[in-house]
């Protein structure tokens, strides 16, 4: 590693500020090409350093999911951190750091926050996407007050400060752990897996899970050539003694092997085929690009993420880290109410928040909830302030090790106790922005007149645009999704994605509840068929999007 004694801080002038650096649900996410525009990354990072509290003399954590641009961005951020008076920058070997592991490191080192380089589940590579997520001192995504201030700063920037000198000429050496100085900045490179694995060992009984895996319980884990490969190899094939090959696609690649690192039935279809069509595996799981999402599969059984949160809530005490019970549980609005039913039964507080992990942060910090989750394959707890893919996988294995039954049995028993929330999300991706907003605004305008109207043989009892008042700080978030609640407890929700990078994505969320005495084993698409037809007619989805079918059905 180079010691840049010849280094000096330079002020680089910008001709004009970039006007497109508004962070969305998960930070600033754009094409890799856009990020390669001269000064583009630097401009956003300058705004971050101007806004984030405690920069001078503080500690910052930086790493990413290994996609194209990861290492180069770490170099830029290190040099800019040095120019802004950050005292210590912690990064990882190869720059590889999952989002949950970053959240843990921020908390463990009492850092002022972190910068995570990822576009999550979006494809990577020169023709893919790149992203910058900013986390705060609690380890979670920066609140809207900070991201709005960062955006404000990007719009008036006249330049940025960066250290130039030897380090710039030679690049940073992230090959192995070590420490060096960049100007007044101490740059520490650590192993990005160690601390995260130690945290998992405190939460779960690894001996019991190892016992399960040593029996007749073959597992397939798909890292999708993204960040969880090294973590999963250490945990499953190392500590838990699963056979080599348990972890598939375990080498992080800059373009994720050309794949789309999103763990759902469409993009993780190889794994889905192994579990849903083949007979060789009893448990399957996958995580996304940056390791915060999870998909859980059993033999012939897909676990809907909303149901997964409910199952973890109902069985939390089986994991040592949660043996004392839960303070409460939260789910995002579009997530099904499966967890609500469990919470009610257990006498736990239950919260409904807008989409995006940052809304859980306040509740976790205030000790009002222990578990939280979203329908979009995100599940987590108060151990960090991000959703955590491998944590959810270990939690499921803990439950299975204790119950000694199949995933399908766990689900059947759960529905037999609590009833089933048939649930599906239909995504219409990359539609023309005008068409998407036209469709959405039309339904929004129609909402007052929809009250009491017939919808799929039911009556519409509430038609609104979801808004949320944070119970901890009173902050109000409006415009969070159009809800049509029906008199029998079923509902349809429409939202426009805040994370897509091409055109607009319309999400249609469908849900209908069947009590424990009802028909619990239908195909969700059939069980929801009348709602699907009714929303298509009302919102004119096919005609307005020009799409016969959704891009992704979950
Ligand atoms: C999507 C998911 C949402 C999640 C976010 C970040 O956002 O739907 O639940 O929090 O990614 O992982 P969306 O594209 O719907 O705005
Ligand atoms: Zn992610």
């Amino acid at each position: 590693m180079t010691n840049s004694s010849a280094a000096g801080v330079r002020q680089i002038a910008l001709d004009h500020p970039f006007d497109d650096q508004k962070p969305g649900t998960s930070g600033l996410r754009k094409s890799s090409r856009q990020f390669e525009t001269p000064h583009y990354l630097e401009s956003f990072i300058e705004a971050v350093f101007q806004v984030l509290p405690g920069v001078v003399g503080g500690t910052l954590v930086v790493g990413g999911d290994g996609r194209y641009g990861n290492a180069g961005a770490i170099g830029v951020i290190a040099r800019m951190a040095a120019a802004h008076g950050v005292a210590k920058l912690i990064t990882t070997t190869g720059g590889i750091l999952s989002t949950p592991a970053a959240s843990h490191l921020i908390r463990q080192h009492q850092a002022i926050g972190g910068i995570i380089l990822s576009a999550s589940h979006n494809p990577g590579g020169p023709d893919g996407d790149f992203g910058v997520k900013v986390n705060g001192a609690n380890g979670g995504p920066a609140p809207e007050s900070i991201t709005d201030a960062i955006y404000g700063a990007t719009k008036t920037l006249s330049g940025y400060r960066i250290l130039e000198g030897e380090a710039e000429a030679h690049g940073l050496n992230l090959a192995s752990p070590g420490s060096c100085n960049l100007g007044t900045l101490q740059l520490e490179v650590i192993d990005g897996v160690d601390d995260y694995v130690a945290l998992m060992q405190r939460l779960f009984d690894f001996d019991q899970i190892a016992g399960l895996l040593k029996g007749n319980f073959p597992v397939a884990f798909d890292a999708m050539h993204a960040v969880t490969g090294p973590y999963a190899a250490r945990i499953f094939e190392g500590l838990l003694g699963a056979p080599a090959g348990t972890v598939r696609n375990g080498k992080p690649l800059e373009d994720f092997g050309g794949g789309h690192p999103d763990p759902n039935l469409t993009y993780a279809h190889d794994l889905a085929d192994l579990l849903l069509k083949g007979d060789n595996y009893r448990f399957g799981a996958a995580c996304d690009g940056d390791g915060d999402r999870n998909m859980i599969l059993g033999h012939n059984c897909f676990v809907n993420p909303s149901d997964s949160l409910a199952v973890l809530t109902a069985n939390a005490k089986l994991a040592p880290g949660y043996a004392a019970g839960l303070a409460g549980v939260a789910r995002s609005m579009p997530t099904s109410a499966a967890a609500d039913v469990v919470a009610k039964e257990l006498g736990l507080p239950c919260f409904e928040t807008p989409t995006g992990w940052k809304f859980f942060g306040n509740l976790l910090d205030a000790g009002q909830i222990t578990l939280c989750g979203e329908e979009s394959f995100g599940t987590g707890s108060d151990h960090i302030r991000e959703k955590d893919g491998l944590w959810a996988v270990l939690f499921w294995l803990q439950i299975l090790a204790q119950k000694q039954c199949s995933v399908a049995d766990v689900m059947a028993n759960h529905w037999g106790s609590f009833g089933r929330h048939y649930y599906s999300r239909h995504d219409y991706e990359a539609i023309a922005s005008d068409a998407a907003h036209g469709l959405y605004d039309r339904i929004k305008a129609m909402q007052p007149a929809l009250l009491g109207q017939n919808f799929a043989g039911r009556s519409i009892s509430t038609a609104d645009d979801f808004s949320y008042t944070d119970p901890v700080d009173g902050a109000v978030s409006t415009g969070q999704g159009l809800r049509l609640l029906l008199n029998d407890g079923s509902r349809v929700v429409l939202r426009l994605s805040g994370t897509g990078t091409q055109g607009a994505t319309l999400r249609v969320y469908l849900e209908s509840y069947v009590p424990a005495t009802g028909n619990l084993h239908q195909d969700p698409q059939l069980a929801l068929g009348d709602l699907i037809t009714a929303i298509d007619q009302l919102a004119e989805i096919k005609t307005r999007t020009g799409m016969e079918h959704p891009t992704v059905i979950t």
Side-chain angles (χ1 to χ4, degrees), residues 25-26 29 120-121 288 292-293 332 334-335 355-357 374-377 387 425 495-500 505 507 509:
T25 328
S26 311
R29 193 176 292 186
S120 187
H121 50 283
D288 73 331
D292 56 358
R293 293 183 175 199
S332 67
T335 304
T355 295
W357 207 259
E374 295 191 282
E375 46 65 39
S376 53
F377 299 88
K387 54 195 174 226
R425 183 174 108 178
R495 258 189 82 247
L496 295 178
S497 158
T499 60
T505 293
R507 305 204 194 284
Y509 309 84

Side-chain angles (χ1 to χ4, degrees), residues 114-393:
I115 299 178
I116 303 170
L117 305 163
S118 172
S120 187
H121 50 283
N122 289 23
D127 298 319
D129 289 336
F130 192 75
V132 179
K133 303 199 287 180
V134 180
N135 283 29
N138 73 345
E144 240 155 19
S145 55
I146 298 268
T147 51
D148 286 351
I150 292 172
Y151 180 47
T154 65
K155 290 195 286 192
T156 55
L157 275 192
S158 56
Y160 61 90
R161 277 187 297 156
I162 189 163
L163 192 84
E164 288 187 345
E166 261 185 73
E168 185 200 11
H170 297 292
L172 299 176
N173 180 0
L174 302 178
S176 53
S179 182
C180 72
N181 293 324
L182 275 185
T184 56
L185 176 83
Q186 186 198 346
L187 178 70
E188 206 182 313
V189 181
I190 63 173
D191 179 288
V193 177
D194 289 346
D195 297 284
Y196 177 80
V197 169
L199 176 64
M200 293 302 112
Q201 286 177 299
R202 292 199 289 278
L203 296 174
F204 301 109
D205 181 344
F206 271 47
D207 290 340
Q208 190 185 41
I209 300 174
L212 174 77
L213 301 190
K214 281 195 190 90
N216 179 24
F217 200 84
V219 167
F221 177 84
D222 193 342
M224 306 191 83
H225 284 305
V227 79
T228 52
Y231 296 83
R234 179 93 63 89
I235 291 173
F236 298 124
E237 297 180 11
L239 294 163
L240 294 172
T246 298
V247 176
R248 296 160 173 267
N249 304 316
K251 189 175 180 335
L253 298 176
E254 285 201 333
D255 65 349
F256 308 116
H260 195 134
D262 199 0
N264 58 37
L265 294 173
T266 302
Y267 296 124
H269 52 84
D270 290 346
L271 181 79
D273 285 352
L274 284 181
L275 272 293
L276 305 181
K277 294 188 181 156
D279 287 323
N280 293 337
Y281 293 95
R282 298 195 59 193
F283 181 86
C287 291
D288 73 331
D290 62 330
D292 56 358
R293 293 183 175 199
N294 73 90
M295 176 169 71
I296 303 292
L297 298 163
H299 182 222
N300 282 331
C301 179
F302 163 72
V303 179
N304 185 288
S306 300
D307 281 343
S308 180
L309 176 64
V311 167
L312 298 191
T313 304
N315 297 287
K317 287 186 175 175
L318 300 183
Y322 306 92
L326 307 175
V329 57
R331 63 165 173 90
S332 67
M333 181 275 282
T335 304
S336 94
D340 304 33
V341 176
V342 178
K344 192 167 176 213
E345 176 89 16
L346 299 180
L348 296 174
C350 182
F351 299 85
E352 182 180 31
T353 64
T355 295
W357 207 259
K358 58 189 164 198
F359 294 98
F360 295 136
N362 275 359
L363 295 167
L364 291 164
D365 285 346
Q368 297 203 28
I369 58 167
T370 309
L371 298 186
C372 44
E374 295 191 282
E375 46 65 39
S376 53
F377 299 88
T379 336
S381 89
D382 60 356
H383 68 293
I384 53 169
R385 293 295 181 271
E386 289 275 5
K387 54 195 174 226
D388 190 343
L390 283 168
W391 167 90
V393 176

